Amino acid sequence: MQRVDLSALFLHSLALWFAAVGGPATILPEFHRYIVEAHQLMTSTDFAELYTLAQAAPGPNFMYVTLIGWHLAGWAGAVTMTIPVLIPATTLSLLVSHLNERYPNAPMGRVINRGLAPLTIGLMCASSTLLMRTVNHNWRGYLLTLVTVTFVLRTSWNPLWLLAAGALAGVLGWV
Amino acid sequence: MEQTKSTQAQVSRYKLFLTFSRITLSGFSGVMFWARRTLVERERWLTEKQFVELITLGRLVPGPPGLNLTVMVGHRFGGWTGAAAAVSGLLLWPCLVVIGMGVLYQHYGALPQVRRALAGMSIVAAALIFSNFIKMAKVLPRRWRPWLFAVLAFVGVGILRWPLFWVVGTLAPLALFAAWKEMP
């Protein structure tokens, strides 16, 4: 494991959030590429587990970056990974809501939504396959994947129950 | 009657902080459901239509949609300090919770029972993103162009493992141009 260059991590993360079309799950592969593959700051399993833990916390679902930052470098790391999330949110969203009030009928919004939706979908697929390859080691793992997907698509259960069920399956040694 | 509260009435910083604390502590993996229930039904700061409008904008802007929504609502009802109060309410508690998790992970993450539980949970967490992908892919129009962009984004980032900036930086302008040409 290498020492963490916090200023480089901050700048990379800041640039990344400005490119985060479609929300926090879409940039997960890039965080993984930077932190695990390019700089080897943690293992792929650590990365996946920290992501998972953050999904079991209340609040917005980007908090995995805060947890990863904390794991890398304590409070300084948590701040380094969290501040970049706030900068596009405070600048761009206020700019866009201001423009929207001034030009309520501009077609820009629909163009952006329609144009970027396919990219969001492709990136979500990349995120999920990356994590699935990291955490699944055998057919029983993929069976749990299949069961989870079926539950999500067929029921409206709170994901927290599914995470708890996954933990139980793990403790019982099924996966 | 709905209008009186939904126009730009000011709300105290403290109230904004508390309201977004309530929203963030009610919901897991995302805050939209509780944001609607609290802002539209309980507090009546926004009408249904205004809420949908703000959510749409929040999804348009890069970054987490829930955070973008919080900034816009905080700013609308309390200016810059209002936005700061709302964001603090949204993030303070989850930050403390995940850092508590980080502490526990570093202390107990190596225990065999904990390792097994985390292994099971991680499989579910990965499957949750995959489910979201399926839900979104189901409503993507059945035409070749949007699917081509989706496949290119997946191959570039997911298989070739190219940096996201290059992939999105190349594909986004093309995808936006294509969507713009298709507009009636």
Side-chain angles (χ1 to χ4, degrees):
Chain A
M1 298 288 128
Q2 299 180 356
R3 262 183 65 90
V4 187
D5 180 352
L6 287 181
S7 52
L9 186 62
F10 179 87
L11 289 177
H12 190 82
S13 167
L14 179 63
L16 197 46
W17 281 105
F18 274 100
V21 297
T26 58
I27 54 173
L28 184 140
E30 177 63 22
F31 273 123
H32 186 276
R33 197 191 64 78
Y34 186 85
I35 291 172
V36 177
E37 295 160 44
H39 294 273
Q40 286 148 23
L41 301 173
M42 62 173 67
T43 66
S44 190
T45 306
D46 279 349
F47 185 94
E49 289 180 354
L50 291 169
Y51 172 80
T52 301
L53 279 176
Q55 297 313 296
N61 49 13
F62 70 85
M63 300 300 300
Y64 74 91
V65 299
T66 306
L67 182 52
I68 284 174
W70 196 88
H71 188 74
L72 286 175
W75 287 101
V79 171
T80 302
M81 290 290 277
T82 311
I83 300 292
V85 191
L86 299 173
I87 294 173
T90 42
T91 52
L92 290 182
S93 64
L94 290 181
L95 178 71
V96 167
S97 76
H98 176 74
L99 288 176
N100 184 59
E101 271 167 37
R102 180 163 286 190
Y103 311 103
N105 297 316
M108 217 46 222
R110 273 183 302 155
V111 170
I112 295 178
N113 262 338
R114 264 210 222 170
L116 296 185
L119 300 193
T120 303
I121 289 169
L123 295 174
M124 297 280 283
C125 186
S127 297
S128 56
T129 48
L130 175 79
L131 282 184
M132 288 193 301
R133 281 203 307 270
T134 303
V135 298
N136 284 320
H137 305 294
N138 52 42
W139 64 269
R140 292 195 301 270
Y142 281 101
L143 186 65
L144 179 57
T145 304
L146 191 69
V147 170
T148 306
V149 172
T150 312
F151 265 99
V152 176
L153 296 180
R154 292 280 166 84
T155 69
S156 52
W157 284 21
N158 190 321
L160 210 57
W161 292 113
L162 298 171
L163 285 169
L168 186 67
V171 170
L172 294 174
W174 292 351
V175 288
Chain B
M1 193 186 94
E2 233 177 18
Q3 277 302 315
T4 50
K5 273 209 149 182
S6 305
T7 46
Q8 315 272 326
Q10 291 285 300
V11 176
S12 79
R13 319 293 178 250
Y14 183 60
K15 176 77 178 159
L16 280 167
F17 176 81
L18 282 187
T19 304
F20 279 92
S21 296
R22 172 194 298 276
I23 291 172
T24 203
L25 289 171
S26 311
F28 286 85
S29 2
V31 291
M32 286 308 182
F33 175 80
W34 290 99
R36 199 196 71 84
R37 182 165 281 192
T38 307
L39 298 174
V40 178
E41 290 177 14
R42 199 187 136 95
E43 302 291 344
R44 303 207 172 175
W45 292 350
L46 301 169
T47 62
E48 196 77 56
K49 188 165 168 285
Q50 287 170 320
F51 182 75
V52 171
E53 228 174 75
L54 285 181
I55 279 208
T56 312
L57 289 176
R59 294 224 161 96
L60 223 59
V61 178
L67 181 63
N68 293 337
L69 177 80
T70 303
V71 170
M72 288 188 284
V73 171
H75 187 260
R76 178 177 286 199
F77 291 100
W80 282 103
T81 50
V87 169
S88 310
L90 185 81
L91 296 188
L92 178 66
W93 313 108
C95 272
L96 294 178
V97 172
V98 294
I99 285 168
M101 287 174 159
V103 173
L104 291 175
Y105 184 77
Q106 287 185 338
H107 277 90
Y108 303 106
L111 295 178
Q113 287 292 345
V114 176
R115 294 234 54 74
R116 284 208 285 273
L118 280 173
M121 272 174 83
S122 301
I123 292 174
V124 172
L128 289 175
I129 309 190
F130 191 69
S131 315
N132 283 337
F133 153 69
I134 294 179
K135 279 185 193 167
M136 294 175 71
K138 271 185 178 167
V139 296
L140 192 65
R142 300 277 183 276
R143 280 178 284 114
W144 65 270
R145 217 192 323 247
W147 282 94
L148 175 69
F149 282 118
V151 169
L152 288 176
F154 168 68
V155 170
V157 170
I159 295 181
L160 301 172
R161 309 291 296 121
W162 286 341
L164 182 110
F165 301 112
W166 296 12
V167 177
V168 169
T170 313
L171 291 179
L174 295 174
L176 288 173
F177 182 70
W180 179 63
K181 293 294 273 185
E182 278 179 7
M183 290 299 280

